[in-house]
Amino acid sequence: EPEVTQTPSHQVTQMGQEVILRCVPISNHLYFYWYRQILGQKVEFLVSFYNNEISEKSEIFDDQFSVERPDGSNFTLKIRSTKLEDSAMYFCASTLQGRGEQYFGPGTRLTVT
Amino acid sequence: EDQVTQSPEALRLQEGESSSLNCSYTVSGLRGLFWYRQDPGKGPEFLFTLYSAGEEKEKERLKATLTKKESFLHITAPKPEDSATYLCAVYNTDKLIFGTGTRLQVFP
C-alpha cells in the first residue's frame, strides 16, 4: 500500500541553523501539505502546495519557512534560521483531491537547542 | 472562525465496554469532516471522511456519524489495541483544522 515517507525521523539542530525536512508523497497525489504538532498540542496547518505553488499558508509560515518540490517525487520544508519554538513534530501529507482524505507521513521530530 | 472541539479529553474503558467520542464543529459551510487515529510519536492515520449530515461510515469496531453540528465516533466492544488518540478535523478551503483529540485507553 502506498504511503508518505519522511526523512530524517529525528533532527537535532542549534538555534539559528537551517534545516531541511524531506517528504516523498504518494506518487499520484497532487496536493501536498506540511503540518506541525508541538508536544501535547493539536496538529496545526503550515502550508499547502498545488501545481508547483503555495495555495495557502498559515500565520506560522513566515519568511523563515519555504517549501519546494524540486523534482517529481520530493517535497521539502526549509526553515532558514531555527528558533527554540520551532521544536515540534513536522508532518507531511498528501491527497489526490483537494477535499479528499489527506494521508500523513510518520513525521520528523525537530529539536532545536 | 472555524473551530473543532473534541470531548472528552481522555477516556478509559474496560475491554468490551462500548462508548462514543464527540466532535463539535463550527464552520461556514462544511466541506468534509475527517477522523484520524494517532499513536504516540506517529503520524495521523486516516479512518473516515463524512461530507453531509446523516452520513455514517463503519470500519471494524468503529462507526462515525455526522449531524449538522457534531460528529460521533462510536467504538463497540473495544480492545486494548484500540488505545490511541482519536483526532477530528474539518476541511476549510485548502487545509484541515484539527481538534485536540480524545486519548482513549482500553484496559484488558
Side-chain angles (χ1 to χ4, degrees):
Chain A
E1 186 176 321
E3 58 183 19
V4 176
T5 60
Q6 290 185 242
T7 53
S9 57
H10 190 191
Q11 174 93 45
V12 181
T13 189
Q14 289 190 328
M15 196 168 49
Q17 295 297 305
E18 175 183 288
V19 294
I20 297 176
L21 310 183
R22 292 183 166 79
C23 167
V24 179
I26 294 174
S27 61
N28 64 334
H29 284 185
L30 302 175
Y31 297 79
F32 313 111
Y33 306 84
W34 285 100
Y35 293 82
R36 78 173 187 189
Q37 187 176 32
I38 295 171
L39 189 63
Q41 297 187 22
K42 66 171 71 174
V43 177
E44 300 176 288
F45 167 77
L46 291 178
V47 65
S48 57
F49 192 85
Y50 170 71
N51 202 24
N52 279 320
E53 60 182 25
I54 290 174
S55 46
E56 187 163 347
K57 59 184 180 180
S58 71
E59 292 177 353
I60 303 167
F61 195 89
D62 61 21
D63 292 344
Q64 294 302 311
F65 290 85
S66 63
V67 290
E68 194 177 35
R69 188 156 161 83
D71 52 42
S73 58
N74 290 284
F75 181 49
T76 62
L77 175 69
K78 181 193 290 186
I79 309 175
R80 288 191 185 81
S81 178
T82 49
K83 307 183 183 82
L84 294 176
E85 53 265 36
D86 293 328
S87 295
M89 197 76 159
Y90 288 80
F91 295 110
C92 172
S94 69
T95 186
L96 181 60
Q97 302 171 1
R99 277 179 63 191
E101 55 269 18
Q102 295 181 19
Y103 291 89
F104 284 73
T108 292
R109 180 172 300 284
L110 177 65
T111 303
V112 183
T113 62
Chain B
E1 184 179 328
D2 295 353
Q3 282 195 324
V4 179
T5 304
Q6 292 188 247
S7 62
E9 288 186 11
L11 183 61
R12 293 163 57 100
L13 298 175
Q14 202 73 32
E15 184 172 3
E17 180 186 1
S18 301
S19 188
S20 296
L21 283 54
N22 177 265
C23 171
S24 299
Y25 61 89
T26 307
V27 295
S28 50
L30 181 68
R31 297 183 64 203
L33 185 140
F34 300 80
W35 282 98
Y36 286 85
R37 169 188 171 130
Q38 187 176 31
D39 292 300
K42 303 289 179 63
E45 175 190 343
F46 171 72
L47 293 174
F48 303 109
T49 310
L50 302 165
Y51 287 108
S52 55
E55 192 174 355
E56 299 183 352
K57 295 268 180 79
E58 276 188 79
K59 180 180 178 180
E60 296 179 355
R61 295 177 292 282
L62 298 176
K63 179 179 176 180
T65 61
L66 181 65
T67 72
K68 288 186 178 178
K69 294 184 179 180
E70 56 192 354
S71 177
F72 292 92
L73 184 66
H74 307 277
I75 181 161
T76 303
K79 298 182 178 181
E81 53 261 41
D82 295 321
S83 297
T85 296
Y86 290 85
L87 305 176
C88 172
V90 295
Y91 182 82
N92 172 291
T93 56
D94 200 19
K95 61 185 177 288
L96 293 179
I97 298 173
F98 282 87
T100 51
T102 293
R103 188 173 66 255
L104 174 66
Q105 292 180 291
V106 182
F107 294 92

